[in-house]
Amino acid sequence: MHTIINNVQIKAVNAWLPEEVLEMKQLSSLYGEAEVASIMKTTGVERVRIAPKNMTSSDMCLKSAEHLFEQEGFDKAEIDGLVFVSQTTDWLLPATSISLQHRLGLSQELVCMDVHYGCSGYIYGLFQAATWIASGACKNVLVLAGDTTSQMINSNDKSLKMVFGDCGTATIVSEGNTSMGFRINSDGSGADRLIVPAGGFRLPISEETSVLEWDEDKNGRTKNDLFMDGMAIFNFAITKVKKQVKALMEDMGWIKDDVGFYGLHQANEFMVNYVRKSLKADETLTPINVRNYGNTGPATLPLLLSDVCSGEHTYDLSKTIMCGFGVGLSWGSVATDLTNTHFYSPVNK
């Protein structure tokens, strides 16, 4: 799917982080100093934020939204659409977006939708918001994206525990004078490469799914926990992302030297750098913040914007490309102008 949607803009972006910081070096006593050092060198992740067990992704997104409204001086009554992007929803039903409408004190005239996506989810959320605005149904859509991925990871799975962190974000998409170009692709043949096998209706949680199993790399997990075939995801990303981003540039009539900012999904430092090099993108235009936060799923892109574009920076955001890729398998990119977007530094209060 590819399209260009006119007269829409990303108005403001904010991120909220849990207070607890897990330093990867703290895990040396659990996994061994040499193993921890090796994983840190590969992923570039030095620390992540971990949400308390009683905190959900919707709680973090709510805090992010409330802070964003306060900073913007934005009237909640002007929000007429809400998209909640998360793989860690509050319930199987009802939709968490409906609950957030009430908790945020938004209008009952609101249209709400849950988008059950991970690393590409922010692009899907922006696309949904832009289409609602383009149709004339909405003028201001709140896109909330976040996950508590740490709660899906078995403590015996060092390959994931040392990569994923938690975060909630809020973005306001509104009517405007800019355009948003989208490219979105899906390949369900790779669904088993990044998955929580049990817990849905196809495989309900049971005694059998709760049995701890070990892989050849000595990572332990049950079928109730998150599983990722890291090499398969890496191979997928390096073959698909470059092609999609280049096609999106052609859609927009841009060349590589036009782009002033590349926001790439922060899977890990090695993967971001590999994708950047495949695009021949300048290192100074492709920031990496995975060191301090890890992979926060659908929150990585808005967290990146909140982290590196708030305050003083040297990026030319007039031609920005962002790309998310992962679970599904799915990958999506957006090209837009963020010159007039307001960015607020991540908060945790």
Side-chain angles (χ1 to χ4, degrees):
M1 185 285 297
H2 60 98
T3 188
I4 297 176
I5 300 176
N6 297 314
N7 301 316
V8 291
Q9 66 171 345
I10 298 177
K11 185 177 180 66
V13 181
N14 182 61
W16 191 91
L17 295 160
E19 289 188 24
E20 181 183 347
V21 178
L22 173 63
E23 296 282 348
M24 295 300 103
K25 290 182 178 179
Q26 293 176 227
L27 299 174
S28 295
S29 60
L30 183 62
Y31 303 137
E33 189 172 329
E35 184 71 12
V36 169
S38 176
I39 294 175
M40 287 176 61
K41 183 178 180 180
T42 301
T43 66
V45 180
E46 296 183 3
R47 62 193 60 85
V48 297
R49 297 298 184 100
I50 303 295
K53 291 297 183 183
N54 63 348
M55 178 174 285
T56 68
S57 53
S58 71
D59 295 334
M60 296 189 295
C61 287
L62 181 144
K63 290 177 180 293
S64 182
E66 288 181 333
H67 183 75
L68 188 61
F69 289 145
E70 180 181 350
Q71 294 300 306
E72 281 286 290
F74 195 87
D75 184 358
K76 291 182 180 181
E78 295 183 23
I79 296 293
D80 43 19
L82 190 157
V83 181
F84 178 61
V85 184
S86 181
Q87 300 167 117
T88 52
T89 55
D90 287 7
W91 312 281
L92 285 177
L93 60 88
T96 304
S97 56
I98 300 289
S99 172
L100 283 165
Q101 170 272 326
H102 171 69
R103 294 172 66 195
L104 282 166
L106 303 179
S107 169
Q108 292 187 4
E109 296 294 318
L110 202 72
V111 55
C112 296
M113 177 179 289
D114 282 17
V115 175
H116 197 69
Y117 274 79
C119 304
S120 64
Y122 187 61
I123 305 300
Y124 276 79
L126 294 178
F127 175 66
Q128 190 62 66
T131 55
W132 283 351
I133 292 170
S135 73
C138 298
K139 293 184 177 181
N140 298 286
V141 180
L142 180 63
V143 178
L144 304 179
D147 264 346
T148 50
T149 310
S150 65
Q151 297 176 16
M152 298 191 289
I153 297 173
N154 194 292
S155 61
N156 294 292
D157 191 345
K158 59 182 178 294
S159 68
L160 298 186
K161 191 173 179 64
M162 293 187 62
V163 174
F164 286 93
D166 302 330
C167 179
T169 68
T171 301
I172 298 174
V173 182
S174 304
E175 292 179 316
N177 297 321
T178 61
S179 62
M180 298 174 74
F182 290 94
R183 282 258 173 179
I184 295 176
N185 295 85
S186 308
D187 180 8
S189 69
D192 61 346
R193 301 297 189 266
L194 185 50
I195 189 173
V196 178
F201 291 101
R202 183 167 296 281
L203 183 61
I205 291 176
S206 65
E207 289 186 11
E208 288 77 13
T209 67
S210 303
V211 174
L212 184 64
E213 300 173 342
W214 298 86
D215 64 22
E216 59 185 13
D217 295 318
K218 299 181 180 179
N219 292 300
R221 67 183 72 86
T222 73
K223 286 185 170 60
N224 307 330
D225 304 316
L226 180 64
F227 164 78
M228 180 173 71
D229 183 337
M231 186 54 66
I233 297 299
F234 173 75
N235 289 334
F236 144 73
I238 64 175
T239 57
K240 300 295 187 181
V241 172
K242 173 184 175 182
K243 181 178 179 181
Q244 185 184 73
V245 169
K246 288 196 168 185
L248 181 58
M249 287 186 196
E250 292 179 5
D251 294 342
M252 303 298 291
W254 299 353
I255 60 173
K256 181 180 70 68
D257 291 342
D258 291 332
V259 181
F261 183 89
Y262 292 90
L264 300 179
H265 167 55
Q266 303 290 296
N268 61 62
E269 190 171 53
F270 181 80
M271 188 178 293
V272 174
N273 275 324
Y274 200 101
V275 172
R276 174 185 63 78
K277 291 174 183 177
S278 74
L279 291 169
K280 298 182 180 179
D282 193 311
E283 186 176 1
T284 63
L285 307 180
T286 314
I288 299 176
N289 71 344
V290 71
R291 175 177 301 174
N292 293 319
Y293 308 113
N295 182 343
T296 56
T300 66
L301 291 175
L303 173 58
L304 182 70
L305 294 175
S306 173
D307 190 33
V308 306
C309 294
S310 56
E312 293 184 7
H313 64 81
T314 59
Y315 300 114
D316 177 5
L317 300 175
S318 61
K319 288 183 173 59
T320 291
I321 287 183
M322 293 184 285
C323 181
F325 45 88
V327 66
L329 298 170
S330 62
W331 59 111
S333 300
V334 61
T336 193
D337 181 354
L338 298 180
T339 304
N340 296 316
T341 303
H342 300 157
F343 304 101
Y344 299 98
S345 298
V347 294
N348 61 4
K349 295 182 180 180

